[in-house]
Amino acid sequence: MATNRTFTMLKPDAVEKGHIGAILEKISASGFRIVAMKLTQMTTKDAQAFYAIHSERPFFADLVEYMTRGPIVAAVLEKDNAVEDFRTLIGATNPADAAEGTIRKMFAESISENAVHGSDSDENAAIESAFHFSGREMF
Ligand code: IDP
Ligand code: MG
């Protein structure tokens, strides 16, 4: 089922560097409405489950370590064509390849510490939103 929502995390590196406000400003200015949002920290079990699809990749242990080392901002966002438009707004996984003006180009350091997550499909947006939020926390 196509939806108009996506899920994002401002990752530990972005929070550590004080970029929450600037990134949320860019998200709002790009036409996304915040449906749900919180500052939270993933446990090792949470991160292993969230990124289970990458469990066989060589960077998996580092990814789990990174994503659990400090708080993140988890949020659900709404806009027409949300999943695709948000992926465009954040830019390529590797900030070195990300287009000018994208969030990863502006705020990310490396392919591993790349500031922000964006769901890659409507199905995963729904799964990832439900991973972090109950129905009562989404508006
Ligand atoms: P995406 O976040 O752009 O969807 P994915 O391929 O789904 O990229 O990878 C999930 C996360 O795993 C990335 O955002 C990044 O933090 C990390 N990652 C992906 N590829 C690499 C890599 O080659 N080396 C180190 N970390 C990586
Ligand atoms: Mg992905």
Side-chain angles (χ1 to χ4, degrees):
M1 186 185 73
T3 71
N4 57 355
R5 290 184 175 185
T6 192
F7 172 78
T8 187
M9 296 182 286
L10 312 193
K11 296 181 176 183
D13 56 319
V15 175
E16 285 159 10
K17 292 179 196 157
H19 289 153
I20 294 174
I23 294 174
L24 291 178
E25 175 61 32
K26 206 164 159 55
I27 290 171
S28 290
S30 301
F32 292 88
R33 184 178 79 80
I34 295 168
V35 171
M37 187 165 68
K38 66 182 162 195
L39 192 65
T40 185
Q41 185 163 356
M42 289 202 282
T43 65
T44 297
K45 248 177 128 176
D46 290 335
Q48 286 170 340
F50 189 92
Y51 285 111
I53 193 163
H54 296 305
S55 61
E56 303 303 319
R57 307 285 285 278
F59 58 81
F60 184 66
D62 287 345
L63 176 61
V64 170
E65 179 76 26
Y66 157 55
M67 288 302 299
T68 57
R69 78 175 185 221
I72 60 164
V73 174
V76 179
L77 304 173
E78 188 172 78
K79 181 185 180 297
D80 288 348
N81 204 35
V83 165
E84 191 185 341
D85 286 2
F86 194 70
R87 294 289 300 201
T88 300
L89 178 64
I90 68 178
T93 305
N94 187 347
D97 301 329
E100 263 335 298
T102 60
I103 291 174
R104 282 169 167 166
K105 185 71 173 185
M106 293 171 74
F107 299 105
E109 292 284 303
S110 66
I111 190 168
S112 53
E113 304 211 356
N114 58 5
V116 63
H117 169 83
S119 304
D120 62 8
S121 66
D122 289 338
E123 186 191 3
N124 283 335
I127 292 168
E128 292 169 1
S129 296
F131 188 94
H132 283 275
F133 296 100
S134 72
R136 280 186 294 114
E137 295 174 307
M138 290 191 250
F139 301 92

